[in-house]
């Protein structure tokens, strides 16, 4: 059964850093593109960052230069290193297998992990 297990969310002050992790179950992780998404309070879910099977990275403009997506194929795990966090980064963060170029998600959403940035 396919599911994603996100972790690493926390309450952090603006300017701080967090590293999120996502372990994927039930998929052939190494051959698929993976992506991070987020849903801020009261807003729609949005794409944050994606990485193809061969390591090509794509970022939303709002996080370029601050966030880094990476993957560990040996552990079926996706990471998101978030630096210089801003109040507007507050959201529930989700990972999913994704379609390359469109970054549309493939499977149902997992529970996500809450990131709260305070002033």
């Amino acid at each position: 059964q396919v599911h994603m297990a996100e972790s690493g969310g926390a309450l952090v002050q603006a300017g701080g850093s967090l590293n999120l992790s996502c372990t994927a179950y039930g998929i052939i992780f190494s051959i698929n593109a993976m992506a991070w998404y987020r849903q801020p309070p009261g807003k729609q879910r949005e794409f944050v960052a994606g990485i193809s099977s061969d390591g090509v990275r794509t970022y939303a403009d709002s996080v370029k230069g601050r966030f880094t997506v990476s993957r560990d194929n040996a552990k079926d795990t996706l990471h998101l290193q978030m630096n210089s966090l801003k109040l507007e980064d507050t959201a529930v963060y989700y990972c999913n297998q994704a379609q390359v170029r469109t970054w549309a998600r493939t499977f149902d959403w997992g529970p996500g992990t809450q990131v709260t940035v305070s002033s």
Side-chain angles (χ1 to χ4, degrees):
Q1 188 174 2
V2 175
H3 70 276
M4 313 293 165
E6 303 95 345
S7 62
L11 173 63
V12 62
Q13 286 194 322
S17 298
L18 278 177
N19 189 296
L20 305 184
S21 297
C22 165
T23 301
Y25 299 91
I27 66 171
I28 306 175
F29 183 86
S30 62
I31 66 171
N32 286 293
M34 297 293 296
W36 286 99
Y37 308 80
R38 67 185 181 187
Q39 186 166 19
K43 297 184 179 180
Q44 290 190 337
R45 200 162 353 222
E46 62 185 10
F47 169 81
V48 174
I51 184 167
S52 68
S53 58
D54 55 357
V56 177
R57 298 170 170 87
T58 303
Y59 297 96
D61 288 344
S62 58
V63 306
K64 277 181 183 176
R66 300 188 299 122
F67 289 12
T68 301
V69 60
S70 62
R71 63 190 300 156
D72 183 345
N73 289 338
K75 297 181 179 180
D76 292 354
T77 300
L78 184 71
H79 296 283
L80 185 68
Q81 176 65 41
M82 306 189 294
N83 298 328
S84 302
L85 283 162
K86 304 177 179 180
L87 296 179
E88 53 263 42
D89 294 320
T90 294
V92 179
Y93 284 72
Y94 304 85
C95 70
N96 212 313
Q97 181 179 309
Q99 304 299 315
V100 177
R101 285 188 288 276
T102 67
W103 298 109
R105 55 105 173 180
T106 302
F107 298 107
D108 290 343
W109 297 110
T113 187
Q114 176 71 50
V115 172
T116 302
V117 183
S118 65
S119 58

